[in-house]
Each structure stands twice: as C-alpha cells, then as structure tokens.
C-alpha cells in the first residue's frame, strides 16, 4: 500500500480504530445479556462486521506508521 491510497491521516485512522473498539466492547457486553436467539444472531452479525473493520483499521494504521518511519529515515 502506498501512503497516497489512504483517504485520511494517521490520527484520523487511529481515532476511528479507537471508536470501533469502543463500539465492539459495548456491543459485546450487550451480546452477553441477550435473552432471545434472534437478538443474539443480529448482534453476532454486527460484532463480526465490527471485528473485520477493526482488523482493517489496524492494518491501515500499521502501514501508515511504517511509512511515517520510512519517511523519517529517508529524510535523515
């Protein structure tokens, strides 16, 4: 991945990642308190999607951090 491919800055992606993790934690707590199978299935689907989003955001943040380090090294 190239830095130019990303639509946001590193701090923006880090903020999105933090928010996604908070949503995941909150939904996980709600999932544990589910009383119906239907509700549990719906929340499970949402948790799966959030988990995929978190993994993608983690990869983007990691890539941006690496590119930032390379840019600092090259400028020295």
């Amino acid at each position: 991945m190239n830095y130019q491919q990303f639509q946001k800055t590193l701090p923006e992606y880090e903020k999105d990642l933090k928010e996604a993790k908070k949503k995941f934690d909150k939904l996980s707590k709600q999932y544990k308190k589910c009383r119906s199978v239907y509700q549990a299935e719906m929340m499970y689907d949402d948790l799966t999607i959030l988990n995929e989003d978190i993994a993608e955001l983690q990869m983007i943040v990691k890539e941006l951090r690496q590119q930032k380090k390379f840019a600092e090294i090259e400028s020295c």
Side-chain angles (χ1 to χ4, degrees):
M1 285 186 194
N2 291 333
Y3 186 78
Q4 291 79 18
Q5 292 176 330
F6 301 113
Q7 301 295 324
K8 301 177 184 177
T9 64
L10 178 58
E12 290 172 325
Y13 278 114
E14 288 172 334
K15 181 181 176 188
D16 290 347
L17 178 58
K18 185 177 180 181
E19 289 173 0
K21 286 182 177 180
K22 282 184 181 179
K23 285 181 187 177
F24 184 86
D25 291 340
K26 184 178 179 181
L27 195 57
S28 294
K29 289 176 184 175
Q30 291 176 351
Y31 177 76
K32 292 177 184 177
K33 296 178 183 178
C34 283
R35 296 185 185 258
S36 72
V37 174
Y38 175 75
Q39 186 181 23
E41 288 176 353
M42 297 300 291
M43 285 189 174
Y44 180 80
D45 291 342
D46 290 343
L47 284 168
T48 302
I49 293 168
L50 266 174
N51 192 41
E52 292 170 359
D53 291 347
I54 288 170
E56 183 179 342
L57 285 168
Q58 286 174 330
M59 289 187 335
I60 291 171
V61 167
K62 181 179 176 183
E63 179 71 23
L64 286 172
R65 286 178 179 162
Q66 286 177 345
Q67 289 187 11
K68 183 178 177 182
K69 286 180 184 178
F70 290 143
E72 289 172 358
I73 292 171
E74 289 177 357
S75 67
C76 291

